[in-house]
Amino acid sequence: MRTVSVGADGARGTIAAMTTDTTGTAARDGEPRRGGPADSPFVRACRREPGPHTPVWFMRQAGRSLPEYREIRASVPMLESCRRPELVTEITLQPVRRHGVDAAILFSDIVVPVAAAGIDLDIVPGTGPVVAEPVRTAADVERISPIGRDEVSYVDEAVRQLVVELGDTPLIGFAGAPFTLASYLVEGGPSRTHAKTKALMYGDPELWHALCARLAEVTLSFLRVQIDAGVSAVQLFDSWAGALSEADYRRFVLPHSTYVLGGLADAGVPRIHFGVGTGELLGAMGEAGADVVGVDWRTPLDVATRRIGSDKAVQGNLDPTVLLAPWPVVEAEVRRIVEQGRAAPGHVFNLGHGVLPETDPDVLTRVVALVHELSARPAR
């Protein structure tokens, strides 16, 4: 693996399907190839197939808890770092080298495709995405343009570099779900209450659905670019969906998430769907079309499996704050989650949300080793 040095319209469109091989990489010769990422513990677990051990990766593993990440990002703004393929490649590889995780996740941000679609925004340190002109009218929705490979060519290039560097280690691509993206755009930035979002959703359902339909097209296109470039799986982040009741989720959100995930049904890669605070939504989220449903730390995995159904794998679900506790506490929680994950037809060990900046990287490394040890299965 390489290292680099760094200096200072709302109508539904049709997105062409592509032929993918069993690794999740777009087949160039029309013939599927055996081995590689498709036979990795991560992809096998996503497909509910037996593997040598429970796979592990961490949301936000590529980033702020690593000193090498902080060094490389010291003089580079977030959005710019997402647009520099060599930098994206290096940051994505860092946790794979350090922790020995079973999958890499592309270093990017959920607002990258929205910015590519023409929305003026910035990712402000300590705050998050901030939108210059919030989207709250039909005219604002029209400002969101379709995107394709040309608009995010830097993502396409980064994925292609990473697939070569990672070899048999799978790469996860990702995007933000329409609801979460819409909330950022309507609020103008992060929100604890999502008051403006809900006011638009309840007060003007037609405009709300037009906005989400437009964002669903952008999201689907963005994921298709990543799949065509070679990612082995994709994750749809609906980080803020837990702010909704199940009835509101089904009415205002589920159709658009289903459109995105359903639009990837022919793509040949596992689809993961994740949200925070979604314990009461797990059944509905399982209906959206993913192969794997992410579970935050609030719902035990055996309970989550009953809600989601036996035809889905699960991902999760260690509370990120547990990693700040003494090792015996961490070990006990990891053991509990591995055991509860056995109730699912497939389990990918992860956190219930992202790695906290103050996390000791050595603890993450120890967690990976412990999960592998606890879940090791004899070779057949």
Side-chain angles (χ1 to χ4, degrees):
M1 296 179 182
R2 78 182 77 179
T3 58
V4 298
S5 59
V6 181
D9 126 279
R12 299 293 196 194
T14 300
I15 297 179
M18 67 200 67
T19 302
T20 56
D21 69 12
T22 57
T23 69
T25 304
R28 304 298 190 265
D29 55 11
E31 293 295 327
R33 291 177 285 277
R34 298 180 61 84
D39 285 333
S40 67
F42 168 74
V43 172
R44 294 184 70 86
C46 289
R47 298 196 185 283
R48 308 186 308 281
E49 298 171 354
H53 58 256
T54 298
V56 189
W57 71 278
F58 304 108
M59 287 180 280
R60 289 183 176 163
Q61 66 185 18
R64 53 198 182 167
S65 69
L66 301 182
E68 56 265 42
Y69 168 81
R70 292 194 291 270
E71 179 181 358
I72 206 170
R73 276 283 326 281
S75 59
V76 186
M78 181 62 182
L79 267 180
E80 181 185 345
S81 68
C82 295
R83 293 166 174 160
R84 294 170 62 172
E86 289 290 334
L87 187 55
V88 169
T89 299
E90 169 60 16
I91 293 173
T92 301
L93 293 175
Q94 286 175 349
V96 180
R97 296 192 198 105
R98 181 185 272 266
H99 304 312
V101 287
D102 292 286
I105 184 166
L106 180 71
F107 175 74
S108 189
D109 191 274
I110 64 171
V111 298
V112 164
V114 179
I119 296 298
D120 184 6
L121 58 82
D122 192 16
I123 302 175
V124 178
T127 300
V130 175
V131 180
E133 298 179 35
V135 175
R136 295 170 186 165
T137 68
D140 294 333
V141 172
E142 288 300 316
R143 291 192 283 117
I144 304 172
S145 302
I147 67 167
R149 185 177 299 167
D150 289 346
E151 285 73 27
V152 288
S153 58
Y154 42 87
V155 171
D156 176 81
E157 183 178 346
V159 170
R160 292 177 189 277
Q161 289 181 10
L162 280 161
V163 168
V164 173
E165 292 292 323
L166 286 164
D168 290 345
T169 300
L171 175 64
I172 305 168
F174 75 91
F179 173 78
T180 292
L181 294 178
S183 183
Y184 276 119
L185 296 187
V186 174
E187 300 287 342
S191 172
R192 294 185 181 276
T193 64
H194 307 281
K196 294 182 178 66
T197 303
K198 291 183 178 182
L200 176 62
M201 192 174 70
Y202 297 137
D204 194 342
E206 183 177 353
L207 179 59
W208 170 260
H209 285 295
L211 170 59
C212 287
R214 184 67 63 95
L215 292 172
E217 296 288 357
V218 170
T219 297
L220 181 54
S221 295
F222 188 55
L223 290 173
R224 279 288 189 181
V225 168
Q226 295 173 66
I227 291 169
D228 193 27
V231 299
S232 296
V234 292
Q235 177 156 311
L236 187 67
F237 283 88
D238 212 351
S239 305
W240 308 135
L244 302 175
S245 68
E246 182 181 355
D248 285 345
Y249 177 86
R250 288 184 177 279
R251 179 183 177 189
F252 296 110
V253 178
L254 183 57
H256 305 291
S257 294
T258 300
Y259 180 80
V260 175
L261 292 167
L264 301 175
D266 65 339
V269 302
R271 299 155 294 171
I272 309 168
H273 197 18
F274 172 75
V276 182
T278 54
E280 296 302 315
L281 306 180
L282 288 173
M285 291 181 71
E287 296 170 18
D291 306 288
V292 185
V293 178
V295 183
D296 76 7
W297 64 93
R298 297 170 178 87
T299 308
L301 288 179
D302 50 353
V303 175
T305 295
R306 291 195 293 272
R307 294 179 182 179
I308 295 164
S310 60
D311 61 337
K312 310 284 183 187
V314 298
Q315 180 175 279
N317 67 335
L318 184 67
D319 186 334
T321 63
V322 169
L323 296 171
L324 309 181
W327 176 252
V329 177
V330 178
E331 180 178 359
E333 284 296 286
V334 170
R335 288 179 177 275
R336 176 183 65 82
I337 290 164
V338 169
E339 183 60 33
Q340 290 176 346
R342 299 185 196 279
H347 176 212
V348 176
F349 190 98
N350 207 312
L351 304 182
H353 203 194
V355 175
L356 298 172
E358 58 267 41
T359 303
D360 181 349
D362 290 342
V363 175
L364 292 171
T365 305
R366 293 182 72 180
V367 167
V368 174
L370 178 59
V371 173
H372 288 172
E373 176 188 343
L374 293 174
S375 62
R377 303 176 184 98
R380 293 184 178 181

